[in-house]
Amino acid sequence: MFNQRGDFMKKHIIFTLIVSLLSVGMIDSAMNSEFKASEITLQELQEQKKIQELELKKLEEERIQQYHDDELQRFLSDIGFRESGNRYDITNQWGYMGKYQFGKSTLKGLGFRVSKNEFLSNPQLQEEAMMALLLHNKEKLQLYIDTFDGKTINGMLVTESGILAAAHLGGQGSVKRYFKNGKVFRDGNGTKITSYMKQFSGYDIKLKPNS
């Protein structure tokens, strides 16, 4: 009887130990699974954060680009109005043509070999010619833009847009001479390049090769 009871107690203890060990193993397993799930969730959150940051960066870049595009269009519209009243079909008494009053020699120098009628009847061509001229002048005047942009000279705020407007009126050479020795060029109407530099100084344009 005593031996049977002792065997029973041993079996009970062994059974209890086995159950305890199994329980601990199950808890550890559950904890490990939960920890791994937490790791996956954290990794996913980090990836989502990176994606959101990239999307926000892209949106901000697009917003900035749109702002500069709008500024450029405002600049083109205003200088076109000053030159011709934004008329593509007009020619002045000196033979300057279109919305931006291009001369034949300037067009030829930019690589546009078209007749007067072809130029006057093609607004898109005129806009392309204007962008080509702006980019050409910016390249030639980059040193002066870098040096004087944001500075005040003779009470006049100098900016990239003002410098490019002055170059449109009198050529990039006249702008260089102004900054070098103060000589102010006037066109056939007596308009000074400094008047363009002042009038068109307030445009935040950022010209790039593919603008």
Side-chain angles (χ1 to χ4, degrees):
M1 174 74 72
F2 180 79
N3 290 335
Q4 290 180 349
R5 185 174 181 182
D7 291 340
F8 175 78
M9 289 300 295
K10 288 179 181 179
K11 290 178 181 179
H12 180 70
I13 291 171
I14 292 171
F15 177 76
T16 302
L17 288 171
I18 291 171
V19 171
S20 298
L21 290 171
L22 288 172
S23 298
V24 170
M26 291 175 67
I27 292 172
D28 288 342
S29 178
M31 289 179 66
N32 288 334
S33 298
E34 188 174 324
F35 179 72
K36 289 180 180 179
S38 299
E39 280 187 325
I40 294 172
T41 303
L42 179 60
Q43 184 178 359
E44 289 176 346
L45 288 173
Q46 290 174 338
E47 290 176 354
Q48 289 176 2
K49 183 180 179 181
K50 288 180 180 179
I51 292 172
Q52 289 175 348
E53 289 174 347
L54 289 173
E55 289 177 347
L56 288 173
K57 182 180 179 181
K58 182 179 179 181
L59 288 173
E60 180 63 13
E61 290 174 348
E62 290 176 350
R63 185 192 68 78
I64 293 172
Q65 183 61 51
Q66 185 61 53
Y67 165 72
H68 289 306
D69 288 346
D70 292 343
E71 284 291 285
L72 176 60
Q73 291 306 312
R74 189 167 68 90
F75 173 80
L76 292 171
S77 177
D78 289 351
I79 200 170
F81 185 81
R82 173 68 188 265
E83 291 286 294
S84 67
N86 279 324
R87 289 181 58 185
Y88 290 102
D89 61 346
I90 195 170
T91 303
N92 75 2
Q93 58 184 318
W94 292 286
Y96 290 95
M97 306 174 292
K99 176 180 176 180
Y100 303 107
Q101 294 292 276
F102 272 92
K104 291 182 179 179
S105 61
T106 300
L107 286 173
K108 185 177 180 180
L110 294 171
F112 293 88
R113 289 174 169 76
V114 293
S115 68
K116 175 181 175 181
N117 288 336
E118 287 174 328
F119 188 72
L120 291 175
S121 63
N122 194 331
Q124 182 178 348
L125 180 62
Q126 293 186 36
E127 296 296 338
E128 290 175 0
M130 182 58 172
M131 286 306 306
L133 180 61
L134 287 173
L135 290 168
H136 171 77
N137 285 336
K138 178 170 182 177
E139 180 182 359
K140 298 298 182 181
L141 295 168
Q142 189 64 61
L143 176 62
Y144 298 87
I145 292 171
D146 293 340
T147 302
F148 297 104
D149 185 27
K151 295 182 179 179
T152 300
I153 299 177
N154 297 324
M156 175 181 64
L157 176 65
V158 177
T159 67
E160 177 178 327
S161 60
I163 289 174
L164 293 177
H168 180 74
L169 177 70
Q172 47 92 9
S174 69
V175 174
K176 290 179 179 179
R177 286 188 290 273
Y178 171 73
F179 286 119
K180 286 179 179 179
N181 55 38
K183 185 177 180 180
V184 179
F185 171 86
R186 298 170 184 260
D187 72 354
N189 293 316
T191 304
K192 300 177 181 179
I193 60 168
T194 49
S195 70
Y196 265 48
M197 200 176 292
K198 182 178 181 179
Q199 179 180 352
F200 296 100
S201 64
Y203 302 81
D204 192 6
I205 60 176
K206 300 293 182 185
L207 291 180
K208 297 178 181 179
N210 293 322
S211 294

